[in-house]
Amino acid sequence: MMRRGFRVVRSDPLLLTLLAATAGLFLWYATAPQSRTAQVVTAWVFVASMHACLIWITRSFTRTPGLPVVARRFWRAVLVGGVAYLVGDVAQLVLAATQPGLACAATGGAVRIATLSAGSAWLMLALLAAPLGLTTRRERLRFWLDVATVMVAAVVVGWYLVVPDRPAALLDAAAPVLSGPVILLLCVFVVAKLTMSGTTLFTRACAVIGTAAAAMKSGADLLIGDGLDAGRLHWFLALTIAANAMLTIAVRVTQMQLARNPLALERRTRQRPYSLLPYGAIVVTYGLLTVAIWRHEAASVPIALTGAAVSTLLVVLRQLDAFRENAQLLAELHRSLDQRETLAARLQHQAFHDGLTGLPNRQLYSQRLDAALAAGGPAVVMLIDLDDFKLVNDAHGHAAGDRLLKVIADRMRACVRSSDTVSRIGGDEFAVLLSSLPGDDPLEIAARIVREIEAPVPVDGGSARVGASVGVAFARPGAAGCLPDGEALLREADHAMYAVKRDGKGSYAVSPGQPGVATAPRVG
C-alpha cells in the first residue's frame, strides 16, 4: 500500500508541488522567523492558495466520467465548502496585511470564523446526509446516538481548548468552538463511520489524510487555548497551513487513485456492527473532567461534568437498545431452534413411517425386529398380504384403494397391543411384530387380523372387501442355540403366507418346522 502511494505521488507533478511547498513552508515556520507580519501574511496567502487549488481540483474531480452519483453530489458539496473557505481566506488576508499586529490577524477575524464555520457545517451536513448503508430504523437510531455522543465530547474538548477560563462568555465562545474542535472532530467521526460502512465517497487514503488534517487543526487550537504569544505563533501557523494543505492533498490523492483505478470507489469494506469512537469520546470527557478536578479549574469542572454525564446517558441508551436487539435475536434463535427440532422430528417420522397409513415402514420394522432378537426375548413375525386388493383399485379407483388401506391399518392396530408393531412394508403388504408373553396366543391374534380385514369397508357410496393371507414365524433358538436373524424370520413368514395363498387365501399358517399348526383352517 505504501509503495502504491509513492507511485501516485511520483506520477503527479501537482501533488509533488503541494507536498514540497507544504513541507518547505512548515520547516521555515519551525525556525521561528523574526517578522510577525511576514509569518501571518505568508500563512494566509498559502492557505488561500491551498483553498483555491482545492476548488480547482474538486471542480475537475466532479467531472470525472463514471463517478457514482452519490460521490459526485458529495464532492460538489466539498466544492461549495471550498468556496466558503476561500472567501474567508481573502478577508483574513486583507486583515493580516492591513493590521498584522492584531491577535485575530493570526488566529482569524470575524469574517473568516463565520465562513469557516459555515463551510465546515456544510461539509458535515454533506457527510451526514450521505448514504451509510443503514437500512433499519434501529441502525439509524444508533448512528445518531453515536454522533450525539461524539458531539458532546467535541463540545467539551472545544470549550476546554478555546475558552477554559471564561464560563460566562457563552456567546463569545460559540464561534471559536464551532469553528475548531466541534466541526473537525465530528467530521473525523463521520469520515470514520463512512469508511467502516463502505460508502463509496472517497478512498481510505483520503480518509486517513483528512483525519490527520483534523488532528493538526485541533493541535493548533490547543496552542491558542490560553493566548497566543510570540513563542507559539510560528507553531500555530505551521500547523494551520499543514492542516489546510492536507485537505487539498487528500482530494488530489483521491482523484489520482480514481484515475489509475476507476473502480477505486467501489471497493466496499466489511461493515462493522459497532463503532469504538463513542466509547473513546466518553474516555475523553472523563479524562478532561479528571484533569479539571486535579487542577482545581472551577470554571471547567461543570462543563466537563455535564459532558461526561450526557455522553454516558447516550451510550447507556445505545446499550439498552443493543440489549433489546440481542434479546430479540435470542428469541428468534430459540424459535429457529424449535422449528429446526420440529422439522427434524417430522423428517425423522417421515423417514421411518409410511406416508399414507402412518404405520412404521420396512426400515423401522427391521430395526425393531433386530432389536427384539438381540434382546433374546420371544418374538413372533407375521407377514400379511391382502387378497384381491387389485380388484378394489380396478372397480373403485385408487382413491378408494387408499381409503381401504387406511381403514385396514387402523383395524390391524386395534388387533395388537401398544407394545407390538404393525408396519406397511409394501403396496398391499403388511407385517406385524409381537412380543410373545405368557397367556398370549399369537395364532388367535392372526385369526383376529384375518377376520377384521375381511369386514367390508365403505367406499364411494358402496363397500369394498378384501381378504388376508397371513404367514407366521416364531423366533426360536436353532440347533446351535442361536436365534435366527430378522431377514430369515421374514422369509419363513413369507413362505407360510404363500402357502396360505396356494390353499385358497383368507387364512393364516405357521412356518413349517415351528411350533403351532402347520396350516390353519380357513378363517371366516
Side-chain angles (χ1 to χ4, degrees):
M1 182 176 180
M2 186 175 296
R3 290 180 179 178
R4 289 197 300 268
F6 285 143
R7 285 198 297 269
V8 171
V9 172
R10 288 198 305 267
S11 63
D12 183 35
L14 177 57
L15 192 55
L16 280 172
T17 302
L18 292 174
L19 290 171
T22 304
L25 198 58
F26 189 90
L27 293 175
W28 180 69
Y29 276 100
T31 62
Q34 296 299 316
S35 174
R36 175 186 177 90
T37 301
Q39 292 184 47
V40 174
V41 173
T42 301
W44 292 116
V45 167
F46 184 80
V47 171
S49 302
M50 288 296 101
H51 287 154
C53 188
L54 173 66
I55 294 171
W56 181 82
I57 294 173
T58 307
R59 183 172 178 270
S60 174
F61 190 21
T62 57
R63 299 179 178 180
T64 302
L67 191 67
V69 176
V70 175
R72 192 185 305 277
R73 188 183 303 122
F74 168 75
W75 287 107
R76 285 175 179 169
V78 174
L79 177 61
V80 174
V83 172
Y85 290 158
L86 183 59
V87 171
D89 296 339
V90 173
Q92 185 65 24
L93 183 58
V94 173
L95 177 62
T98 56
Q99 304 180 61
L102 295 178
C104 62
T107 59
V111 175
R112 185 179 185 276
I113 289 177
T115 56
L116 178 63
S117 299
S120 299
W122 175 256
L123 292 179
M124 182 187 70
L125 290 175
L127 287 169
L128 292 176
L132 298 175
L134 307 179
T135 57
T136 65
R137 185 174 64 178
R138 171 166 280 133
E139 289 178 339
R140 290 191 291 272
L141 172 64
R142 291 180 183 176
F143 172 73
W144 286 109
L145 286 175
D146 289 346
V147 171
T149 303
V150 177
M151 182 182 293
V152 170
V155 170
V156 174
V157 172
W159 184 280
Y160 192 82
L161 296 180
V162 181
V163 284
D165 298 322
R166 292 183 291 170
L170 294 176
L171 296 179
D172 295 338
V177 171
L178 287 175
S179 64
V182 171
I183 295 296
L184 290 170
L185 288 181
L186 277 176
C187 287
V188 171
F189 169 76
V190 179
V191 165
K193 194 75 174 181
L194 289 171
T195 302
M196 287 187 293
S197 66
T199 305
T200 55
L201 297 179
F202 39 72
T203 61
R204 184 177 295 273
C206 179
V208 171
I209 297 173
T211 303
M216 286 191 175
K217 185 62 174 66
S218 297
D221 293 332
L222 180 62
L223 288 176
I224 62 172
D226 54 355
L228 185 63
D229 53 31
R232 299 180 180 179
L233 175 63
H234 63 106
W235 287 115
F236 169 77
L237 294 176
L239 291 174
T240 299
I241 65 173
N244 287 278
M246 289 181 69
L247 290 177
T248 304
I249 291 170
V251 178
R252 185 60 175 178
V253 167
T254 302
Q255 186 182 27
M256 293 301 299
Q257 287 181 319
L258 191 62
R260 294 172 62 90
N261 179 14
L263 302 179
L265 293 184
E266 297 184 8
R267 293 178 179 175
R268 301 183 65 86
T269 57
R270 185 181 63 173
Q271 184 174 357
R272 275 179 155 185
Y274 62 91
S275 172
L276 296 177
L277 289 173
Y279 303 98
I282 287 185
V283 172
V284 170
T285 55
Y286 277 97
L288 291 179
L289 176 61
T290 303
V291 171
I293 295 175
W294 181 60
R295 292 183 176 179
H296 304 288
E297 297 174 348
S300 299
V301 169
I303 299 298
L305 182 60
T306 302
V310 173
S311 60
T312 301
L313 175 62
L314 292 171
V315 171
V316 168
L317 291 176
R318 191 190 191 286
Q319 290 301 112
L320 289 176
D321 183 71
F323 291 153
R324 182 180 178 184
E325 183 182 32
N326 290 339
Q328 293 176 350
L329 291 175
L330 287 174
E332 291 178 2
L333 176 61
H334 291 155
R335 284 196 296 270
S336 298
L337 292 176
D338 291 341
Q339 292 174 357
R340 189 181 70 173
E341 291 177 358
T342 302
L343 178 60
R346 186 182 301 119
L347 293 176
Q348 176 80 2
H349 184 273
Q350 292 176 356
F352 292 99
H353 290 78
D354 175 53
L356 177 65
T357 63
L359 295 176
N361 59 16
R362 187 184 189 98
Q363 184 177 1
L364 181 57
Y365 181 85
S366 297
Q367 290 181 2
R368 292 183 178 179
L369 176 57
D370 292 338
L373 295 176
V380 179
V381 170
M382 295 184 185
L383 200 61
I384 302 106
D385 186 77
L386 302 184
D387 302 328
D388 303 323
F389 177 73
K390 184 177 182 301
L391 298 178
V392 175
N393 279 335
D394 294 340
H396 301 280
H398 290 279
D402 290 344
R403 170 169 172 72
L404 184 141
L405 290 174
K406 292 179 182 179
V407 172
I408 288 176
D410 292 336
R411 292 176 178 178
M412 292 179 64
R413 269 193 291 250
C415 292
V416 299
R417 301 156 301 186
S418 59
S419 58
D420 300 326
T421 298
V422 178
S423 171
R424 184 187 178 195
I425 61 176
D428 60 349
E429 197 171 37
F430 296 82
V432 174
L433 173 63
L434 303 177
S435 299
S436 182
L437 298 176
D440 291 326
D441 187 354
L443 300 184
E444 290 183 2
I445 295 176
R448 189 185 313 146
I449 290 175
V450 172
R451 287 193 301 270
E452 292 295 328
I453 291 177
E454 287 182 344
V457 177
V459 292
D460 295 336
S463 64
R465 184 172 182 176
V466 295
S469 298
V470 181
V472 184
F474 291 81
R476 297 299 187 202
C482 298
L483 289 172
D485 59 24
E487 289 299 323
L489 275 177
L490 284 173
R491 284 194 300 271
E492 291 180 6
D494 186 64
H495 294 326
M497 181 265 294
Y498 274 104
V500 174
K501 284 187 174 294
R502 287 193 302 269
D503 293 340
K505 306 178 182 178
S507 185
Y508 66 88
V510 179
S511 174
Q514 296 207 356
V517 291
T519 302
R522 182 176 177 81
V523 179

